[in-house]
Every structure is written in C-alpha cells, then in structure tokens.
Amino acid sequence: MKLGYFTMPLHPVGKDWRQTLAEDREAILLAEQLGFEEAFVGEHVTDLAETITSCLIFIATLARDTRRIRLGSGTVNLANRHPAVTAAEIAMVDTLLEGRFILGVAPGGLPSDAEMMGTRDDDRNALFVESIEHMIALWTQAPPYRLKGKRWQLTTEQTWIPEIGQGEMLKPYQRPHPPIVVTAIAPNSNGIAAAAARGWTPISANFVHPWVVKTHWPKYVEGCAADGREARGEDWRVARSIFVADDQATVRRLTGGAQNTFGDYFRNLQRKGQASRGNALFKHDPSVPDAAVTGEYLCSQLLIAGTPNEVADRLNAFRGQVGPFGRLLYVGHDWGEPAAMRRSMELMAEKVLPQL
C-alpha cells in the first residue's frame, strides 16, 4: 500500500488567504518529510472556501522546496482553460519538477466556475475531451500546428519561423507527457472505463460512500481490457478523509458535535452537489431522508477517525469492501488545530500505514 495526499482544499470562509496558502503548503512539505509518495492539489476560481485558484501555480511554488515527493494536479479543470496555455504551463511545471509531476485532469465541477467561464450550458465533458486531445497533440506533434476542434482551433501555420523557434511549443520533461489521472465521483462511471482505455488511471473521490467507490474497480478493469492490458490495483488511487489521534478524547473533540472541521467540509460539498447531482451520492442508503444529510451524519459515514489501531482496522475493512486499491490518498482538511492535524499525518505515516 502506497500513501499519498490529496487536498482540494476547503477552508472556513473569511479565513486569512495568506494563512490558508501557508497551511496547505506546510501540509505538503510535512507529507514529504513523512514519506508520502505523492500529493495532489485541486483548484477553483470562484469560491471563497476553496482558496487555491491555480493548482499549477501552487505546485510550482513547491518545486524548489521538495526533492522526492511527486506532485499532481487534482485537478486541472480543462473546460475552464485554453488548451494551448494549459499545455504550456503543464510542460513548464513538469520541467521545474524534473519529471515529478502527475497530471490530474477533469472538466471542472463547480457550477459558479462554469457560469463565470460561459460554459454552464455546454457539454463540459466534450470540452474536456477536446482540450486534452489538443494538449497531447501539442506535446507530440511537430509544428506548424493544425488542430481543429469544435471549440478551439489551434494553429501556428502563418507565423512559424523554424530557424528561431517561433511557433513551436516547449515539451514536458516526461515524454511524451506526464502520467494522466482522472477523478471519479459517479457510480458505475463510464468515464473511468474510457480513461482506462486511453491508459489513464483513476482517483476515487473521498466524499462518496463505499457503495459508490466499489463500482469503480470493475469499470477500471473494463477499460484496461479494452486497451489490452491487465488492471493493476497499484494504479488505482482512492482518497479518504482520515483523522488519527493518540487518544479517543482528541478524536471526540475534533470530530464530534454538529460543528467541526470535517463536518463543515462535507456539508459544503454536499450543498454544492445538490443542484446538479442531488443527495443520492451522499447517502449510505436511499432510505435516508434528505433532511438527515447533515454535517454530523456525513462525518459519521465518510470520515475514518480514531486511534492508529482503530483507523488501520477501518481502512482494512474499507479496502475489503470496495476492492484492491493500491494507493491511499489521505485528504487534507483545514488545520483548525494545527498541532492535532500535524500529529494525525505523523500517526498515519508511522503507525497506520505499516498495518495496511
């Protein structure tokens, strides 16, 4: 079992932006010190709680202060971006990291971002596919470029001057491009199968129930078979919200009651998802009434919390329930109590992981 880190991140609205950026940065530097294999960072543009507006800029700030950990976009939201600009930025970040970059991609699911970018009524999955295909072409084809899609027409035919390099894109450090991962939220996701057929690998989201995560492995197997290769559990990443403490009193203090960092996190995501997906994915059973889907309920169902032995037992049971994932992504949350949150990461790496 390999241990990684994933942060969207999500902080209390109104918390000093400098503090949230510093906190998120410190968490990833700590992850490297503790031996985490990789760390993924999300992005959103129009959200006061999710305060990393560009995961690529944030990752670039870590390039010179990390040495071993692989850093990934979790995710670059392609329906909100121009593919040529995004391809150039990814190539530069991959070069700054000297190949320690993992490219996580998605259409981008925040409705207010879609409204701001003028794509709310578009087929954003189609935009996503067109964008990534353009980006791969820019990384692998020789200039001058002649890329024609429904949304973007990318060309340097009229301005290419080969002897001085004008009109040609710089390539990523990893050839032909960094490894590509996609996030998975929906049950029985055909997107996982389609991605696997292209050689990409999935990350199952932390804010959906085990019954959803369980449907992702068969879809990954299906997609790998279409590509003529065997599915490997070591390529399947599953994210989970986890809190580990030395004693039960600390667990109760930080996770109990109606208001806590974890409950606020899940409630925020649940409210954002209501308009487009409803509450079904946030229920462990369809019979649960909508009114009962509170922060306290979501914590009880989606947060794995306890002492090291308790968390290890719950994670082993969870893996037995959902399938043979080989990479566990510990999810970053707001550091309302910094010492306790740092200690949780330490215990996860030093006490829990050896039991998995």
Side-chain angles (χ1 to χ4, degrees):
M1 178 68 69
K2 303 295 185 183
L3 179 62
Y5 183 83
F6 186 103
T7 186
M8 297 194 44
L10 199 152
H11 299 281
V13 173
K15 188 171 181 176
D16 189 295
W17 195 5
R18 295 167 300 176
Q19 183 180 350
T20 67
L21 292 174
E23 178 182 300
D24 294 329
R25 176 182 169 82
E26 183 181 346
I28 292 175
L29 294 176
L30 177 60
E32 170 160 271
Q33 294 171 19
L34 293 171
F36 284 59
E37 298 275 334
E38 55 196 18
F40 292 86
V41 181
E43 67 176 19
H44 284 300
V45 175
T46 60
D47 195 303
L48 295 180
E50 300 184 45
T51 56
I52 291 180
T53 56
S54 168
C55 60
L56 296 175
I57 291 176
F58 186 83
I59 288 169
T61 71
L62 292 160
R64 292 294 175 261
D65 294 320
T66 55
R67 294 290 178 268
R68 179 197 53 77
I69 194 169
R70 292 176 64 81
L71 301 176
S73 52
T75 58
V76 177
N77 296 325
L78 297 184
N80 300 338
R81 292 166 160 265
H82 191 284
V85 174
T86 306
E89 291 177 350
I90 288 166
M92 187 173 77
V93 169
D94 190 40
T95 301
L96 287 170
L97 290 168
E98 296 183 346
R100 288 188 290 120
F101 182 66
I102 304 168
L103 175 56
V105 291
L110 189 66
S112 56
D113 278 3
E115 181 180 5
M116 179 67 80
M117 305 303 169
T119 60
R120 192 178 182 194
D121 297 325
D122 294 339
D123 183 341
R124 292 172 60 79
N125 286 325
L127 292 177
F128 161 74
V129 171
E130 181 178 329
S131 178
I132 191 65
E133 288 180 346
H134 280 328
M135 288 163 53
I136 291 172
L138 292 172
W139 292 328
T140 57
Q141 294 181 11
Y145 307 107
R146 305 176 182 88
L147 306 177
K148 300 188 183 299
K150 290 185 178 180
R151 171 58 65 92
W152 296 286
Q153 317 298 316
L154 309 183
T155 177
T156 57
E157 289 183 283
Q158 299 179 40
T159 54
W160 185 44
I161 308 176
E163 58 269 24
I164 64 170
Q166 178 176 295
E168 182 170 355
M169 300 282 291
L170 288 158
K171 304 298 191 287
Y173 185 91
Q174 300 174 84
R175 302 297 175 89
H177 53 73
I180 297 175
V181 300
V182 297
T183 52
I185 298 172
N188 299 303
S189 171
N190 289 324
I192 294 178
R198 292 173 177 253
W200 308 345
T201 55
I203 298 176
S204 295
N206 66 301
F207 50 85
V208 291
H209 285 272
W211 70 265
V212 177
V213 179
K214 185 177 181 178
T215 69
H216 292 168
W217 176 248
K219 283 296 182 180
Y220 184 56
V221 171
E222 176 188 323
C224 288
D227 192 39
R229 71 183 197 282
E230 184 179 354
R232 305 185 309 171
E234 65 196 79
D235 295 328
W236 180 23
R237 295 170 173 87
V238 173
R240 253 20 229 170
S241 290
I242 300 167
F243 178 70
V244 197
D246 291 293
D247 54 77
Q248 272 296 328
T250 304
V251 174
R252 288 192 296 270
R253 189 179 78 253
L254 269 76
T255 68
Q259 298 294 322
N260 64 74
T261 291
F262 303 100
D264 290 345
Y265 172 93
F266 289 122
R267 183 60 175 159
N268 185 299
L269 295 181
Q270 182 257 340
R271 288 194 63 187
K272 287 170 180 171
Q274 270 181 325
S276 58
R277 294 189 292 266
N279 282 320
L281 298 186
F282 291 94
K283 299 177 181 181
H284 76 284
D285 186 277
S287 64
V288 175
D290 285 352
V293 184
T294 62
E296 193 169 10
Y297 164 79
L298 293 168
C299 255
S300 71
Q301 297 294 319
L302 298 175
L303 174 65
I304 295 176
T307 61
N309 289 342
E310 291 169 337
V311 168
D313 288 345
R314 290 188 62 188
L315 284 169
N316 277 316
F318 170 73
R319 188 174 184 272
Q321 181 180 2
V322 303
F325 64 89
R327 294 180 182 270
L328 172 65
L329 301 185
Y330 176 106
V331 171
H333 290 269
D334 181 75
W335 282 13
E337 289 195 23
M341 299 304 274
R342 290 190 196 97
R343 182 59 177 158
S344 176
M345 291 180 66
E346 292 170 358
L347 291 170
M348 182 68 214
E350 297 168 358
K351 301 294 184 182
V352 178
L353 183 64
Q355 299 186 56
L356 302 182

